[in-house]
Amino acid sequence: MTSSSLFCTCPLQGAISAPKTMKCYTDFLSNYSSLFKQSPDSGSHSRVLFNVKSINREQSGRLLPRNRVQCQALEVDNKSPILIGNKFQLDDVIEAQQFDRDILTAIFEVTREMERVEKNSHNSQILKGFLMATLFYEPSTRTRLSFESAMKRLGGEVLTTENAREFSSAAKGETLEDTIRTVEGYSDIIVMRHFESGAARRAAAAASIPVINAGDGPGQHPTQALLDIYTIEREIGKLDGIKVGLVGDLANGRTVRSLAYLLSKYQDVKIYFVSPEVVKMKDDIKDFLTLKGVKWEESGDLMEVASKCDVVYQTRIQRERFGERTDLYEEARGKYIVDGAILGVMQKHAVVMHPLPRLDEITVDVDADPRAAYFRQAKNGLYIRMALLKLLLVGW
């Protein structure tokens, strides 16, 4: 290691001249807001990573008394954009904007490690002693089961409720914040799906343990976007310089919104939006992409777009988002379908992706084509979620 500094996860003044493996526990009685994120000593290369939610947790994940802080000094390479230590950079996973390219690259390295772990998961004790609560206010198959499988394959345990909207105290009128404060008393991490956009952010604000957004209404689905980007890299071999067609319900599709945010982290990407008029991509995403210099184009011709793209990302028209406007749903559904004809114009290296569940927007004969990546995509969700659970609970 030619150039190094000491990385500390507690707010100590000035440079820290401690051994590489030094651990210190200090009593701290003043207000948490007085803690700072970087050493005021401008001559020091010591940097501080501080997280309010982490101050009550020791390395094992067990809670410390509230007036104690865990800190650790680690030697790191100044050249590395990610300061690798015992602490993950994020408290919660709420939205795709939290991730930069360097963190994504590091997460994908852990994800590849999880692929190897999963093959021998009967021996894994990485998360032994940890308990995950899954709190789902909307139906889910892949997301809930993949999170629960991820936790168990790492040696952890699960508390679960499949329909919290009906079978929890929410049915009695309990606020989301009160539910979260209760559930955190039983678990070490909460994975939540909710029908309201912004609910995950509210949950994270109320919780002192990590919260993962497993989809919040038409808002975002950040772990789906992570597995989507990971799948594209595995299937296409790169993320820079790609063309992606986002197809279907773009107005209500939280998966495509989150994916658009992550695609903006890469160079020379172009995104095509293909959707019925009633479910066009909303202006906030278009404005964001424009601000970030990402090229995008709206088109009504799926055949033409498919012939240009490395990825055709199909989504279903979400009937549950239309309420009583069944006429608008019927107007939108079935307009853009990936079938043999679409495959016929796609490039040999290109892939078809879908967050699933699928209705009739991809015909079943497409499944036999090697470019149909959606079931491989779903399996990648297990590895990504194993990586996130490991990082949030025990760190790098």
Side-chain angles (χ1 to χ4, degrees), residues 251-302:
N252 301 304
R254 55 196 173 204
T255 62
V256 289
R257 292 174 58 82
S258 293
L259 180 55
Y261 281 122
L262 289 193
L263 286 171
S264 73
K265 312 296 182 184
Y266 297 92
Q267 300 295 317
D268 195 27
V269 170
K270 183 166 184 179
I271 302 175
Y272 295 88
F273 300 126
V274 183
S275 66
E277 185 70 24
V278 70
V279 286
K280 291 175 62 175
M281 180 60 80
K282 294 179 180 177
D283 288 341
D284 63 328
I285 296 295
K286 298 174 189 175
D287 292 343
F288 175 85
L289 294 175
T290 300
L291 180 65
K292 295 297 182 180
V294 179
K295 297 177 183 177
W296 60 268
E297 180 181 320
E298 291 186 308
S299 174
D301 190 337
L302 177 57

Side-chain angles (χ1 to χ4, degrees), residues 154-319:
L154 291 173
E157 298 294 334
V158 174
L159 295 173
T160 185
T161 175
E162 183 177 2
N163 187 355
R165 190 173 189 175
E166 183 177 351
F167 299 114
S168 78
S169 293
K172 303 175 183 177
E174 183 176 59
T175 66
L176 175 63
E177 286 77 7
D178 282 1
T179 298
I180 294 297
R181 292 188 185 107
T182 300
V183 172
E184 74 174 359
Y186 310 144
S187 57
D188 300 293
I189 189 167
I190 296 171
V191 177
M192 188 185 79
R193 170 167 291 185
H194 203 275
F195 51 88
E196 291 181 353
S197 180
R201 187 181 297 278
R202 288 170 51 202
S208 61
I209 63 174
V211 172
I212 299 178
N213 180 7
D216 58 342
Q220 284 208 42
H221 197 344
T223 67
Q224 178 71 48
L226 288 171
L227 74 91
D228 290 341
I229 288 287
Y230 183 71
T231 299
I232 293 171
E233 184 181 56
R234 294 299 296 269
E235 297 284 336
I236 304 300
K238 63 177 183 176
L239 289 165
D240 291 318
I242 62 172
K243 295 182 174 65
V244 180
L246 302 181
V247 187
D249 191 343
L250 307 186
N252 301 304
R254 55 196 173 204
T255 62
V256 289
R257 292 174 58 82
S258 293
L259 180 55
Y261 281 122
L262 289 193
L263 286 171
S264 73
K265 312 296 182 184
Y266 297 92
Q267 300 295 317
D268 195 27
V269 170
K270 183 166 184 179
I271 302 175
Y272 295 88
F273 300 126
V274 183
S275 66
E277 185 70 24
V278 70
V279 286
K280 291 175 62 175
M281 180 60 80
K282 294 179 180 177
D283 288 341
D284 63 328
I285 296 295
K286 298 174 189 175
D287 292 343
F288 175 85
L289 294 175
T290 300
L291 180 65
K292 295 297 182 180
V294 179
K295 297 177 183 177
W296 60 268
E297 180 181 320
E298 291 186 308
S299 174
D301 190 337
L302 177 57
M303 188 81 73
E304 181 186 6
V305 168
S307 69
K308 300 175 180 178
C309 286
D310 302 286
V311 178
V312 174
Y313 191 100
Q314 176 71 289
T315 65
R316 71 183 174 92
I317 305 298
Q318 301 180 60
R319 183 169 188 166

Side-chain angles (χ1 to χ4, degrees), residues 3 51 86 89 101 109 121 163 210 242 268 270 285 315 378:
S3 175
N51 229 315
N86 283 341
Q89 282 80 353
R101 181 168 177 153
E109 290 178 6
S121 59
N163 187 355
I242 62 172
D268 195 27
K270 183 166 184 179
I285 296 295
T315 65

